[in-house]
Amino acid sequence: MTAPTRGERLVVLAVTATFGVILVLWAALVPTFEAPDERAHFDAAVHVAIGDGWPDPGDLHLLQAVDGAGAGTTASMGALLDASSAAEGDTVDQMTQHPATYYVLAAGVLHLIDFEAHRPAIDVLALRLFSALFVLPLPALAWATVRRVTRSPRAAVVGAFAVLAVPELASIGASVSNDPPVMLFGATTVWLAVRVLTGDARTRTAVTLALSLGVAILWKGTALPLIPFVAVAAALSVGASGRRVVLRRLLRALWVLAVAAAVGAWWWFRNLLVFHTLQPDGFASLRPPQPFPAGTGPDPVTFVSISWSTIARTFWGSFGGGAQWVVSPVVYETATVLGLGAVLVWGFRRGPGLGLAVTLAVLPLTVFVFQTVTNWNSYLATTFVGGTQGRYSFPAITAFVALSAIAWRRALGPPAGRRRFATVVSCIAAALALYGPAVAYTSFAEVARARVTSAGLATLAASTPVPVAAVVAAWVLALLLGVGAVLLSRRVPSSSATLPSVTDLGARP
């Protein structure tokens, strides 16, 4: 496999820069506390910052200072805390159902900026930018993963662009949330697993894979599906000698999982010991168990319909605290059909790359099964279909991208068709990256009309601590960088190499 050229690296840098500006745009554009669960995430960080600790799930409540704050609040966070004596209100903050890792780091950021001296909107913006740092490497990780999977520089840069094609990912990545670090370490885990699968037999790579998995599960339960994926990847790997001994494979998988468990499984073991469940429900007091009305029962058709439509919508673009600002159904339905359809039709055909595709599919399939089983059990207990969110699939985003690369590479045939397809996909991805913030702006500032008015700009000015001129400048800069990245990508060569089989690349780094 040839080393990346300077031109290829320049494209990845340009795509990453575009993504970075898009993240800043999202952080500045979305009104304070209008990202999903953002008030609760911020409140949990403030609780840690003022020394309140990490109580059991359901026992933490929103601070009155946070519960009553909004985008227009002019008092400092310190003044709000003093006025309320840092007392809690009645609203449950469910975030202590998660490990405290993100919130401890976020509390450190709050102290670093002297959060009590600023109004809440400034503090929220700082934590949004902190979160954005976690997801900034995703285009580069997608590029590296696809390059390893396809051995094609052009396919690899399209993989970097593919991250931009999911506006919801950037929106969540630039919010106060514990999702961004899971996205990062999920992506690094997939990349390292792919290296192991395609012949990187070095012990240090396996150790790094174990550490990446261990760190990933320290943030949130949505990282747990990475465990069976890594187990399969490590079990299929072989040493530099190439001996395919079942015991050798199993031992390799076991020690990789053992190292990961030593790093990050302690929280989940503690849950099993204390609460007798892997993931306690922080919302239990808000949605207590209740029976279905007399003469009725669970409806699988209703469950599947609500779950599927919600996952598709909230994967591609359903913004706002209530997921109320939605991209056009034409966009997310077409993207879902093309993306999923291509993988199902072409991704698992016999031939080179089948083993890689099947192994990669373990991760998104496990995510889907975990989420479905959890939501079905919750539905049976509460009669409410909830917890279905497309963003819970984002830890597997690089696996999705790599699977799509395998599928479309098979579907397109000759290199000429692949070159045209690469340019089209790169353009669409850059356009979608800019389309998402436009949908958010028109939804909350322009009464859902595709226009820019003085009244809408005034609404934007009142909802963000960032000057409107800076928001506009970020959108224009992202446009210019995106166009530049697409033009540069046209110079990246394709490759006629066949897709690699599992471990057929030898022990090359």
Side-chain angles (χ1 to χ4, degrees), residues 330-347:
V330 174
V331 172
Y332 71 77
E333 289 174 1
T334 301
T336 301
V337 170
L338 289 177
L340 189 58
V343 170
L344 293 177
V345 172
W346 291 293

Side-chain angles (χ1 to χ4, degrees), residues 114-163:
D114 191 14
F115 75 103
E116 293 191 38
H118 306 295
R119 56 194 175 102
I122 299 292
D123 296 329
V124 168
L125 177 63
L127 291 187
R128 285 178 175 180
L129 295 175
F130 167 66
S131 293
L133 291 175
F134 284 104
V135 297
L136 183 60
L138 289 185
L141 286 166
W143 163 75
T145 302
V146 173
R147 201 176 198 279
R148 190 82 183 184
V149 165
T150 65
R151 298 191 283 199
S152 169
R154 186 180 294 274
V157 298
V158 175
F161 273 103
V163 175

Side-chain angles (χ1 to χ4, degrees), residues 441 444-446 452-464 468:
Y441 167 76
F444 77 83
E446 300 289 358
V452 178
T453 65
S454 57
L457 293 175
T459 299
L460 174 61
S463 67
T464 174
V468 171

Side-chain angles (χ1 to χ4, degrees), residues 23 45 100 116 157 248 290 353 363 460 496:
L23 291 170
E116 293 191 38
V157 298
R248 182 187 180 93
Q290 60 179 331
L363 180 53
L460 174 61
S496 58

Side-chain angles (χ1 to χ4, degrees), residues 141-142 144-150 186-198 225-226 228-230 232-233 236 343 347-348 353-368 393 395-407 410 499-500 502:
L141 286 166
T145 302
V146 173
R147 201 176 198 279
R148 190 82 183 184
V149 165
T150 65
T188 59
T189 300
V190 171
W191 168 57
L192 290 164
V194 164
R195 292 188 66 89
V196 168
L197 282 165
T198 54
L226 289 163
F229 167 68
V230 169
V232 172
L236 289 178
V343 170
F348 305 105
L354 177 59
L356 276 172
V358 171
T359 306
L360 284 167
V362 169
L363 180 53
L365 181 61
T366 306
V367 170
F368 177 76
S393 300
I397 190 67
T398 48
F400 281 121
V401 172
L403 276 170
S404 297
I406 291 173
R410 286 175 171 164
L499 294 168
V502 173

Side-chain angles (χ1 to χ4, degrees), residues 274-482:
V274 175
F275 305 110
H276 309 295
T277 183
L278 197 63
Q279 174 78 69
D281 185 2
F283 270 135
S285 61
L286 301 181
R287 290 199 297 263
Q290 60 179 331
F292 283 87
T296 67
D299 182 0
V301 175
T302 298
F303 175 81
V304 170
S305 176
I306 294 176
S307 295
W308 176 252
S309 61
T310 303
I311 289 174
R313 173 172 52 82
T314 56
F315 179 90
W316 293 103
S318 193
F319 320 115
Q324 70 271 32
W325 309 326
V326 187
V327 300
S328 169
V330 174
V331 172
Y332 71 77
E333 289 174 1
T334 301
T336 301
V337 170
L338 289 177
L340 189 58
V343 170
L344 293 177
V345 172
W346 291 293
F348 305 105
R349 291 190 173 184
R350 289 184 179 275
L354 177 59
L356 276 172
V358 171
T359 306
L360 284 167
V362 169
L363 180 53
L365 181 61
T366 306
V367 170
F368 177 76
V369 171
F370 271 38
Q371 186 171 176
T372 301
V373 170
T374 300
N375 295 337
W376 176 255
N377 289 335
S378 176
Y379 174 49
L380 293 180
T382 66
T383 75
F384 177 77
V385 182
T388 51
Q389 292 292 329
R391 70 176 183 271
Y392 297 158
S393 300
F394 289 159
I397 190 67
T398 48
F400 281 121
V401 172
L403 276 170
S404 297
I406 291 173
W408 284 110
R409 189 166 176 78
R410 286 175 171 164
L412 294 169
R418 295 174 188 171
R419 284 194 295 270
R420 288 191 293 270
F421 180 79
T423 301
V424 170
V425 171
S426 299
C427 288
I428 292 174
L432 286 173
L434 293 166
Y435 169 65
V439 169
Y441 167 76
T442 56
S443 296
F444 77 83
E446 300 289 358
V447 200
R449 296 182 182 179
R451 62 184 185 180
V452 178
T453 65
S454 57
L457 293 175
T459 299
L460 174 61
S463 67
T464 174
V466 179
V468 171
V471 175
V472 175
W475 198 94
V476 173
L477 179 58
L479 172 63
L480 295 175
L481 286 171

